């Protein structure tokens, strides 16, 4: 079995077992990396049984890490996972810089890479495919493409990237279910698909209906009790519990998230701090929540945890 096939198998098994964890990157109050805090956070995430670990991605503020910090973050994640679940590290920017991060992740022992949307410019389909081709040619690690923002593949382009030997999957952040259905139908049978919508639980049932049941959960980074309860409700066919969690926690959380750009990460980090997790502040250009929004978050977090029999 090739490394690509083995990693895809492990990811598929993990996706069926639990949510995908995207850990926060810990910083000290002065903005410097806090490796000890990150190690503690990752260990706590692993203890709650996620299907895979995705360090240094969007929720982990990949865009704010330099190469030395990135290496330390991925290394710590690999050490803590200790082979129990796959570790998929984020890479991004243009293909040349993405290849540099890919080498660092490979040296650190990552199992695969999530290719985040490229930097700034819009590009035609041939260019989107070429970006993956260039990265794939420079790493032995399996790749998962992430379509979001300026990256959106057509069915024809999906067939082209799926034909690359080490491209094993696609994470979708557009929530265009018509397009996504076309992509799933165009893909090889063993190609992996992930729901990467912001607060993915909100659309988890809709994604599952077009053949994409696996999803990443930012909520898992601060309230794995809530995230795991929702995952179990979907898995076990318990719409009553799923609806209650959506109505009383997820919808108000999304309403709060949408107040300020960047709150998709800032609120997650603030909620983790409210629970005593050593994750620290966000880095610029993100900003931490205002006092009023932080108070609303604390109230909402208490409500959500209460729904699943947990405490703040």
């Amino acid at each position: 079995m090739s490394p690509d096939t083995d990693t895809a198998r492990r990811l598929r098994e993990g996706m069926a077992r639990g949510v995908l964890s995207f850990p926060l990157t810990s910083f000290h109050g002065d903005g410097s990396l806090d490796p000890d805090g990150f190690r503690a956070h990752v260990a706590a995430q692993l203890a709650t049984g996620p299907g895979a670990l995705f360090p240094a991605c969007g929720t982990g503020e990949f865009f704010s890490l330099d190469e030395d910090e990135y290496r330390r973050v991925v290394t710590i994640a690999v050490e803590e996972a200790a082979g129990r679940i796959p570790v998929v590290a984020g890479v991004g920017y243009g293909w040349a810089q993405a290849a540099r991060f890919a080498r660092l992740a490979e040296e650190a022992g990552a199992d695969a890479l999530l290719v985040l949307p490229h930097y700034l410019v819009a590009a035609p389909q041939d260019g989107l495919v070429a970006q993956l081709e260039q990265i794939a040619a420079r790493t032995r690690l399996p790749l998962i493409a992430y379509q979001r923002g300026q990256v959106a593949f057509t069915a024809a382009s999906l067939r082209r990237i799926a034909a690359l030997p080490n491209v094993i999957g696609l994470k979708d952040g557009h929530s265009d279910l018509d397009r996504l259905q076309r992509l799933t139908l165009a893909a090889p049978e063993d190609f992996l698909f992930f729901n990467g919508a912001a607060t993915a639980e909100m659309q988890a049932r809709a994604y599952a209906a077009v053949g994409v049941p696996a999803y990443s959960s930012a909520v898992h980074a601060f309230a794995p009790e809530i995230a795991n309860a929702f995952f179990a409700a979907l898995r076990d066919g318990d719409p009553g519990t799923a609806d209650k969690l959506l109505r009383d926690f997820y919808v108000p959380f999304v309403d709060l998230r949408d107040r300020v750009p960047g709150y998709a990460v800032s609120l997650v980090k603030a909620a983790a701090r409210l629970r005593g997790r050593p994750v620290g502040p966000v880095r610029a250009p993100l900003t931490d929540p205002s006092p009023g929004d932080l108070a609303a978050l604390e109230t909402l977090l208490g409500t959500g945890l209460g729904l699943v029999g947990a405490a703040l």
Side-chain angles (χ1 to χ4, degrees):
M1 181 180 291
S2 72
D4 293 359
T5 304
D6 183 57
T7 298
R9 175 190 60 78
R10 294 177 64 212
L11 280 167
R12 190 180 302 280
E13 292 173 353
M15 288 154 50
R17 185 176 61 247
V19 299
L20 307 176
S21 169
F22 282 66
L24 299 155
T25 299
S26 299
F27 300 121
H28 292 294
D30 65 359
S32 61
L33 183 69
D34 177 7
D36 292 337
F38 180 69
R39 187 179 296 276
H41 173 57
V42 168
Q45 287 282 285
L46 290 168
T48 64
L53 192 68
F54 287 69
C57 294
T59 304
E61 297 178 79
F62 166 79
F63 52 84
S64 77
L65 300 176
D66 67 28
E67 292 183 10
D68 288 339
E69 292 169 334
Y70 176 86
R71 183 198 300 271
R72 296 185 76 184
V73 164
V74 178
T75 298
I76 289 169
V78 170
E79 290 173 350
E80 290 300 313
R84 290 173 290 172
I85 60 173
V87 175
V88 183
V91 298
Y93 307 116
W95 64 259
Q97 188 65 19
R100 289 175 63 89
F101 281 101
R103 286 194 294 274
L104 295 175
E106 189 170 333
E107 292 167 2
D111 297 292
L113 303 171
L114 178 67
V115 181
L116 303 170
H118 63 269
Y119 174 69
L120 190 61
V121 296
Q125 290 294 308
D126 284 348
L128 299 181
V129 173
Q131 166 87 341
L132 267 294
E133 290 173 338
Q134 293 286 351
I135 299 169
R138 288 164 173 79
T139 180
R140 64 174 182 82
L141 293 179
L143 304 179
I144 299 167
Y146 188 4
Q147 63 168 18
R148 189 184 187 117
Q150 69 270 37
V151 177
F153 294 102
T154 63
S157 295
L158 188 281
R159 293 188 190 96
R160 292 171 65 188
I161 66 170
L164 297 172
N166 54 339
V167 175
I168 63 171
L170 178 77
K171 182 182 179 185
D172 175 72
H174 284 295
S175 303
D176 181 339
L177 297 181
D178 179 275
R179 174 187 289 267
L180 185 59
Q181 182 71 91
R182 295 170 188 268
L183 296 181
T184 62
L185 294 172
E189 185 176 353
D190 59 350
F191 202 71
L192 302 176
F193 284 91
F194 306 83
N195 168 3
T199 316
E201 288 90 343
M202 287 289 294
Q203 301 182 60
R205 286 188 286 201
Y207 269 80
V210 295
V212 185
Y215 61 90
S216 57
S217 175
V219 170
H220 189 273
F222 65 87
E225 304 96 328
I226 299 172
N228 288 340
F230 185 82
F231 180 88
L234 293 187
R235 179 195 62 204
D236 299 340
D238 181 1
T241 296
D243 285 346
K244 187 167 184 59
L245 288 170
L246 287 169
R247 183 183 304 111
D248 296 342
F249 174 74
Y250 283 101
V251 169
F253 179 76
V254 169
D255 289 343
L256 184 59
R257 182 202 72 196
D258 288 348
R259 289 183 186 178
V260 177
Y263 265 17
V265 176
S266 301
L267 282 184
V268 172
K269 235 178 182 181
R273 291 196 302 273
L274 286 172
R275 304 201 71 195
R277 308 295 190 257
V279 297
V282 293
R283 276 182 173 175
L286 302 179
T287 59
D288 289 313
S290 68
D293 288 343
L294 186 61
L297 176 63
E298 185 170 11
T299 298
L300 177 58
L301 181 56
T303 299
L305 291 169
L307 292 171
V308 298
L312 187 61

